[in-house]
Amino acid sequence: MVLTSVATMAGLQRKAAGIRNICILAHVDHGKTTLADCLISANGIISSRLAGKLRYLDSREDEQIRGITMKSSAISLHFVKGDQEYLINLIDSPGHVDFSSEVSTAVRLCDGCIIVVDAVEGVCPQTQAVLRQAWLENIRPVLVINKIDRLIVELKLTPQEAYLHLKNILEQINAVTGALFTSKVLEERAEKETGSECVSDSSPGDQIYDWSAGLEDTDDSHLYFSPDHGNVVFASAIDGWGFGVEHFAKLYSEKIGIKPAVLLKTLWGDYYLNTKTKKIMKGDQSKGKKPLFVQLVLDNIWSLYEAVMKRDKEKIEKIVTSLGLKIGARESRHADPKVHLNAICSQWLPISDAVLSMVCNKLPSPLDITAERVEKLMCVGARTFDSLPPETQELKSAFMKCSSEATAPVIVFVSKMFAVDAKALPHNKPRPLTQEEIAHRRELAKRRHAEKLAANQGKELSEKPPTENSSEVTGNTGDTKGEEQQLTGQVEIMTSKAVKQEADNKESFIAFARVFSGVVRRGQKIFVLGPKYDPAESLHKLSSQCSATEGVPLVPHMACCTLENLYLLMGRELEDLEEVPAGNVLGIGGLQDFVLKSATLSTSPACPPFTPLNFEATPIVRVAVEPKHPSDMPQLVRGMKLLNQADPCVQVLIQETGEHVLVTAGEVHLQRCLDDLKERFAKVEISVSAPIIPFRETITRPPKVDMVNEEIGKQQKVAVIHQTKEDQNKIPEGIQVDSDGLVTISTPNKQATLRVKAMPLPEEVTRLLEENSDLIRTMEQLNTSLNEDKTHEINQKTLDRIREFKQKLEQNLQGRKWRNAVDQIWSFGPRKCGPNILLYNFEGYKRSVWQCLGDAVKEVSKYRDFDNSIVSGFQLATLSGPMCEEPLMGVCFTVEKWEINKVGEMLSTSSVASGERDATEHKQNEDTTPVSSCTDEVCSVNEHEDSSQNVPKSPEKISKHKGEVLPADCYGPFSGQLIATMKEACRYALQAKPQRLMAAMYTCEIMATAEVLGRVYAVLSKREGRVLQEEMKEGTDVFIIKAVLPVAESFGFADEIRKRTSGLASPQLVFSHWEIISSDPFWVPTTEEEYLHFGEKADSENQARKYMNAVRKRKGLYVEEKIVEHAEKQRTLSRNK
């Protein structure tokens, strides 16, 4: 097929009904890019012989080397079916778990997707993940079962076995879809129930409980994959063939004389052909007959493969002539039978026709966008569509129409920014010269040559003795002319070199976007809406009719920009476009200063920002980066900014220590980011630290048995040789610790006393707090606005979620010691939304985090002024624990007592009085950033702006308003003392209980054959892994091993497994959860049995201590270690006689 011109493509973009925006999703190595190659070759962009070998959409060098896709890239294809023309915007996405963020960016821009599944491996973990992502974005999937040639060549299955195997794979995929559908229906039902509970007020006698789950009434038949629905294609992309059942239904309806509609329904399923009556009968298995699919389809493919692989020339010729194909002599004589096979199959059953016709028939055009999807895109966070302003709700019709009229508002979503070499941009590309330009250049060259000759002659004349005046004059003028030209030439060369160098170094950013409504034109002015933009707030300031061209007042999270260039994305190439109508995928140039990773662009200020992309992978692998030469620091900082913009998942941080940290999703992702940083963005030599492994600190209940499984307290203690834990955590004087772990501590000026105790939270509660961190953050914002007496409209759905969260907490925190605990929650931490809780359990104080539910209690008490200091102290304590300054997790601190002495009360009352008297000054003080005279401990934590902002004004300053002069406190402001004291109290309370480290864990899924199973287990056990389950895939010799592995031990794990198993097993690592390391990092042997078992020094490896010391060393904290040098060398101090 010939290449389609850009003009034709631009013409097709205007017909929204013929556009299909699709992405290819699958597990790693299931054949997405090879399938994309086959579809591209059908458009003549690459040769059909190279399809599958070239991997055209893998344009990066490291993608070609590793053989995996690392970014999503788009290409537009032209497809003609009958008299209908289609434009297919195809996006190829990665399958590796580290790059699942790229899948999210691709899915958002599409209306449908092709799920590719390997016929041998079946449904893999990432297949389930991509199905879930497609489901969450409300896009319709179709299925391609790829690599069927492996069933013939590798597994050597008979057609009957292959049919059962394919049937099994389809069932597995439909089971995943069914599970997603069921969960959705049950959620909807639960929402309806909560809604009806509020409405119904009927008497209890009339209520009858409806046990049906609502699954019976809802029709889900269109969701499932079935060949007779036409949404499944069987294919082998590497051999260039693929077919849907309808192809064979048409073929055989002519031969057998059965209607195509009947054949379509019966070709897949338990039907067989009765050859005598020429009728299709049911129940092939019970009668021992061949199913129709085997008899009419698979047998033919198997016999073709057999003939070509065995080089049976007669049979091949017979098949080729019966199919009416023309095979070139080159292919038929080729040494590799696969080439011959590809030539036959790609003509007989071209994969591109089968897949693209399925896409055009089964996947929706941009006009068919569902109302549900539009509402989901427009509602950020917990907002419902009805709560949006009316102007915003009107935009829904523009979405649904997908209209390209001049009046329609322009709405564009940018899902990611990607970096392109400036040389690859269309206006920088070398283009063929026109005839006029060639003539012009020839003329210039002639002139330059003539001038050169003249200059040389001038030189010769000037060297001769001066004979005539005239000749002298001409000589001089010629000489100066020559010099001038030389100089200007040099300057031109220099400037052109500099410009060229700058262009080479410049990375140009292009936005990967889709137009949802209106027509985007080059040079158009448009609003850029950030993720926190709220149309309700800005519509008060702006009229809904205002446009980006007018001078617009400043609105938070909104900017105006000009769309400099519009590009048609063609894989590795970019083509210039003047305008792009609704429903198309495009590239936009000139947004790098306005968009960081993703954004919504619109000409209407009423447009809400789209819901943020949901990423499956969590960034967990951190490394610190620094340049080899300190002078290159500015380039590195600039390079990291560019990297942050170019990668949707990477995070770039500067820690308090001044380290530049990269946070990535996994090892392969990290390697790619570092390569990009070195070679593209920073272009400097960098040195990278060992991965920074995150840990968490927690406490547990005191253990019942010791390290040799003896009951504690029963055995005889022996003299301890080394320091025990008590000596290590020496408690300074002035702090009392009870046997119960209750810590009593006073502020340095002795004006306040705190009594704090720490308890471990149940696991379910910790998990609940982690899952609902966003909800807790929302609660915090609502409470703050309530405290500041701002009227904030709270969405009913959010309130319901908060109530449900509170109920779950109450269910999980039961028993005597947790009585009333939920109502006494004072704060969560760290950062006011973490998995730790602060409770208050003393008289005369009442404050609740559940204020937003209407539990607001406005009361003035002596504690009211300084309660923020206690919360800030708790936030600091939970941010860095005592073991190795890592955040705490699953700890509950209870303030049992808080006494403020007379002077302290005086301070607080004076502050209240002055606050009433001079509210304006107090407000000014609050508005300014932290109090200048805060203690070092507060100022050192710059991550907590909130902790120091809420600190009240120092009492000495306040008291001056009343004219009283209180004695100045040498210990600094009272609020600062409280923060420091609370932090210390929490630390000592924590150390009074058995402390443990928590390690981050990966879930690891490994597919391996039976012969390498032992080696996989060896690598897992060496790296502290724990196998959860192992199952065999039906019909294959492949085992699936599910295990958990500490992140700390995972570096180099994938490489080691591949080396040990000769590449037969490859793991997929996904961050899963935090797990307590059972061993005590401070443990020393104390009983006789422990001495016998562990030896006197107990220097056998303690995993928790090893991790703890490694983190302390990295942070520059004190590590207690004995360093032994020359242990084997005998040293006698006396001189040998």
Side-chain angles (χ1 to χ4, degrees), residues 467-515:
T467 51
E468 287 176 21
N469 277 340
S470 60
S471 68
E472 197 176 314
V473 173
T474 52
N476 286 342
T477 51
D479 205 18
T480 49
K481 229 186 199 177
E483 275 178 23
E484 265 174 36
Q485 278 209 318
Q486 228 171 343
L487 274 169
T488 52
Q490 277 178 347
V491 171
E492 267 175 35
I493 290 164
M494 293 281 282
T495 51
S496 68
K497 265 189 186 173
V499 169
K500 201 175 181 189
Q501 214 170 1
E502 210 171 280
D504 283 358
N505 291 344
K506 196 122 172 81
E507 284 289 339
S508 195
F509 275 89
I510 290 176
F512 193 40
R514 166 164 173 193
V515 188

Side-chain angles (χ1 to χ4, degrees), residues 720-856:
V720 177
I721 291 172
H722 23 236
Q723 287 179 308
T724 56
K725 189 181 168 188
E726 284 77 35
D727 296 341
Q728 285 175 0
N729 304 331
K730 270 191 181 147
I731 291 157
E733 51 191 271
I735 298 168
Q736 297 165 13
V737 180
D738 301 1
S739 57
D740 193 23
L742 198 62
V743 173
T744 312
I745 186 170
S746 298
T747 53
N749 64 2
K750 303 288 183 281
Q751 298 304 331
T753 309
L754 289 169
R755 191 172 287 169
V756 180
K757 129 176 134 183
M759 286 189 291
L761 283 172
E763 264 181 53
E764 300 79 33
V765 176
T766 312
R767 201 174 305 123
L768 195 66
L769 293 174
E770 266 205 295
E771 286 164 5
N772 291 293
S773 62
D774 288 343
L775 188 64
I776 297 171
R777 203 177 279 123
T778 312
M779 278 164 55
E780 178 62 34
Q781 285 165 358
L782 293 173
N783 291 342
T784 312
S785 58
L786 281 170
N787 289 340
E788 292 169 0
D789 295 329
K790 283 183 188 170
T791 50
H792 201 288
E793 194 183 309
I794 303 170
N795 178 6
Q796 189 56 43
K797 201 173 177 185
T798 313
L799 283 177
D800 291 343
R801 280 177 62 205
I802 294 172
R803 280 197 192 96
E804 189 190 347
F805 171 55
K806 189 178 178 184
Q807 270 177 343
K808 281 183 184 169
L809 275 178
E810 280 166 351
Q811 284 165 13
N812 288 316
L813 289 175
Q814 286 182 343
R816 191 172 52 81
K817 64 176 179 179
W818 298 112
R819 194 176 294 134
N820 299 332
V822 177
D823 293 321
Q824 291 176 344
I825 295 177
W826 195 349
S827 177
F828 299 96
R831 298 191 179 87
K832 298 204 173 176
C833 60
N836 304 288
I837 294 180
L838 176 66
L839 305 178
Y840 60 87
N841 195 12
F842 53 89
E843 295 297 317
Y845 179 78
K846 203 162 172 47
R847 181 177 175 174
S848 171
V849 286
W850 312 110
Q851 254 177 302
C852 47
L853 294 176
D855 305 356

Side-chain angles (χ1 to χ4, degrees), residues 8 690 897 994:
T8 317
K897 186 174 123 185

Side-chain angles (χ1 to χ4, degrees), residues 10 13-14 519-522 566 577-581:
Q13 285 186 338
R14 292 190 184 88
V519 181
V520 179
R521 291 183 176 83
R522 181 193 283 196
L566 305 180
L577 291 173
E578 283 304 314
E579 59 174 49
V580 179

Side-chain angles (χ1 to χ4, degrees), residues 1101-1119:
E1101 196 64 27
N1102 177 342
Q1103 200 64 33
R1105 179 176 298 176
K1106 187 179 90 177
Y1107 290 149
M1108 182 182 81
N1109 285 347
V1111 175
R1112 289 185 74 91
K1113 257 187 204 163
R1114 194 189 81 236
K1115 292 187 175 179
L1117 304 170
Y1118 169 69
V1119 178

